[in-house]
Amino acid sequence: RNNKKTPALSRFLNVTISSALLFAVNQAADLVIQLSSSPKTKQDVSGFGTVFTDHMLTIEWTLTEGWQAPLIMPFVNLSLHPACSALHYGIQLFEGLKVYRGDDKRLRLFRPMLNMSRMAKSARRACLPAFDQTELLECIRRLVELDQDFVPHSDSCSLYIRPTFISTECSLGIKKPTRALLYVIMCQVGSYFNNEAEAVSLWADPKYTRAWKGGTGDCKMGGNYGGTLFAQYEAVEYGCQQVLWLYGEDHQITEAGTMNIFLHWINEDGEEELATPPLDGIILPGITRQSILELTRKWGEFKVTERYLNMGRLCSALEQHRVKEMFGSGTACMICPVGHIVYHGESLHIPHQDKNAKLSSRIEKELTDIQVGGCSNTQKHMHACMHTHIPQMFPLAQQQLG
């Protein structure tokens, strides 16, 4: 292995409070890089999340010593104690963001500080230690720089970044961790669904609940996903691809599979509206969701609302032909139109406009242009005005990574 050092890249903040003692900032002097001695042969991208890059980032933390020096090392299996509390009690979380290669060959990250902020929020909820978000992002940038050849030269593919934070407490019993590991892996990804050109089908049944008030539905924790598998496979038995998650006695619409959900319709007051459920603790605050809201509000062409939607209102709107379209959003799929919903044994057809006329297609094109830096002069001017909301590139992404 070859070693090289990059000075002063990580100053992770240790703010763990124990026995009324506030630990001071622990500064790591160097990011250590250990290069892989056997680089992988680059493969064509097929599927989602199976082809990983040559390297990974790891940072260890202990209550007594704080954050250790970040290490970029060859991609290897983790070694965990059999009593590791991440395995027994689900004290863990993750994030997901992508690296895009533009027509100008530059690599860009889309709004990465929003992912860092959401990860910090999830960490607080999981009683895992705080970290310096900017410094972590810089370490991730260096990891991308090192493995940049894995970023596909394709409009339909990208490099997916998976920051993960787990407790490595090596004793049984539910307690606040005294040991933790933050690591980052990356993999090539294509389409999340087998055919993203087709609208997805959803199964809506109130007997299953994805999240509840006071829970962790607004955090990106593994338990929120593993607990959905049973319902997902039941949806397949009913001929559907995903679950439309409902909540409460009035069957509130919350999320679709792992996506945020949007409804473009003419509302009860006769107004054209783009609506999505509010962030009330059971909805994951998606980065794509936030970007769609900010982008469409900037257009100022129709009402954009965060409001409660339920199956009763949706069924009435479908009967009265007031629904224009419905779609999901997320990092993995970007935009995914909904084709029909199975509810109470009935198949509800969701209208489809011509692809060029659909709002979702327009949104997807605009966001894709921002992500790959392919904006027109008009778009560049608009996005410059939106710099604090949806910049073309964040400061990190403004740098060419190779």
Side-chain angles (χ1 to χ4, degrees), residues 7-304:
L9 283 182
S10 179
R11 295 182 296 275
F12 284 87
L13 184 63
N14 182 336
V15 293
T16 301
I17 299 177
S18 176
S19 301
L21 294 177
L22 179 65
F23 283 78
V25 172
N26 178 39
Q27 296 187 358
D30 294 335
L31 166 70
V32 179
I33 300 178
Q34 297 176 351
L35 298 179
S36 173
S37 59
S38 54
K40 299 183 181 75
T41 301
K42 308 302 181 293
Q43 305 176 28
D44 292 335
V45 181
S46 60
F48 192 97
T50 59
V51 179
F52 294 91
T53 66
D54 288 331
H55 300 90
M56 61 193 292
L57 168 70
T58 65
I59 314 106
E60 295 184 2
W61 173 88
T62 65
L63 180 63
T64 55
E65 298 181 6
W67 288 103
Q68 304 304 299
L71 171 64
I72 290 178
M73 59 185 289
F75 190 98
V76 295
N77 293 334
L78 297 178
S79 178
L80 297 175
H81 191 282
C84 173
S85 61
L87 302 177
H88 291 266
Y89 308 116
I91 306 177
Q92 56 92 263
L93 57 99
F94 65 93
E95 265 301 325
L97 60 160
K98 289 181 178 179
V99 183
Y100 302 89
R101 188 185 295 275
D103 293 336
D104 58 1
K105 309 305 180 185
R106 297 179 70 188
L107 306 184
R108 295 173 173 87
L109 293 167
F110 180 66
R111 314 195 75 177
M113 282 306 297
L114 294 182
N115 293 92
M116 298 297 99
S117 176
R118 187 172 65 182
M119 186 174 183
K121 175 186 175 184
S122 298
R124 286 193 298 272
R125 187 66 170 84
C127 293
L128 287 167
F131 57 89
D132 188 302
Q133 300 172 34
T134 302
E135 294 297 329
L136 173 58
L137 187 54
E138 174 62 9
C139 290
I140 291 174
R141 189 192 72 83
R142 293 307 307 270
L143 179 64
V144 173
E145 182 179 39
L146 187 61
D147 281 347
Q148 61 182 285
D149 288 345
F150 281 88
V151 182
H153 294 260
S154 169
D155 293 338
S156 60
C157 302
S158 57
L159 187 68
Y160 185 82
I161 303 173
R162 172 55 63 87
T164 309
F165 201 2
I166 65 173
S167 164
T168 53
E169 181 71 31
C170 53
S171 63
L172 297 180
I174 301 177
K175 66 187 76 171
K176 190 172 184 178
T178 62
R179 304 179 65 88
L181 173 66
L182 197 163
Y183 66 93
V184 181
I185 56 177
M186 304 190 299
C187 61
Q188 293 179 322
V189 294
S191 298
Y192 187 70
F193 298 110
N194 291 333
N195 189 349
E196 291 192 354
E198 296 182 0
V200 70
S201 55
L202 303 178
W203 178 64
D205 193 312
K207 70 179 180 180
Y208 295 119
T209 302
R210 189 199 78 90
W212 51 90
K213 297 289 180 67
T216 58
D218 58 346
C219 298
K220 207 164 179 66
M221 296 178 172
N224 294 341
Y225 296 81
T228 68
L229 282 175
F230 190 82
Q232 166 66 33
Y233 280 94
E234 189 165 339
V236 173
E237 293 176 359
Y238 282 88
C240 297
Q241 297 163 282
Q242 296 288 322
V243 177
L244 180 62
W245 296 103
L246 307 180
Y247 179 79
E249 296 298 323
D250 59 348
H251 298 180
Q252 291 176 24
I253 296 169
T254 62
E255 295 191 5
T258 61
M259 303 178 289
N260 293 122
I261 193 76
F262 284 85
L263 176 63
H264 183 207
W265 68 338
I266 303 300
N267 65 21
E268 300 91 338
D269 298 323
E271 305 167 301
E272 182 180 356
E273 180 182 52
L274 179 65
T276 191
L279 301 180
D280 61 355
I282 64 174
I283 304 293
L284 184 72
I287 312 305
T288 307
R289 174 191 181 276
Q290 179 176 336
S291 302
I292 291 170
L293 289 173
E294 293 171 356
L295 182 65
T296 52
R297 283 169 177 160
K298 183 68 179 180
W299 292 344
E301 299 174 10
F302 44 79
K303 190 173 185 178
V304 180

Side-chain angles (χ1 to χ4, degrees), residues 303-366:
K303 190 173 185 178
V304 180
T305 310
E306 296 174 79
R307 57 171 289 184
Y308 289 106
L309 303 166
N310 61 39
M311 289 303 298
R313 288 195 180 101
L314 177 61
C315 290
S316 295
L318 287 170
E319 291 173 0
Q320 298 167 13
H321 305 288
R322 291 190 284 111
V323 175
K324 291 178 174 291
E325 67 171 322
M326 197 172 187
F327 58 89
S329 70
T331 298
C333 67
M334 174 72 85
I335 301 290
C336 181
V338 176
H340 73 270
I341 300 171
V342 174
Y343 177 64
H344 285 336
E346 181 181 354
S347 182
L348 307 175
H349 175 71
I350 307 299
H352 288 282
Q353 300 179 16
D354 176 77
K355 179 176 175 60
N356 295 325
K358 288 196 303 184
L359 176 64
S360 60
S361 298
R362 178 184 175 189
I363 293 171
E364 183 172 23
K365 184 181 185 306
E366 292 246 358

Side-chain angles (χ1 to χ4, degrees), residues 372-386:
V372 301
C375 304
S376 66
N377 289 333
T378 301
Q379 288 174 317
K380 286 179 180 178
H381 174 73
M382 182 186 73
H383 294 140
C385 296
M386 297 174 66

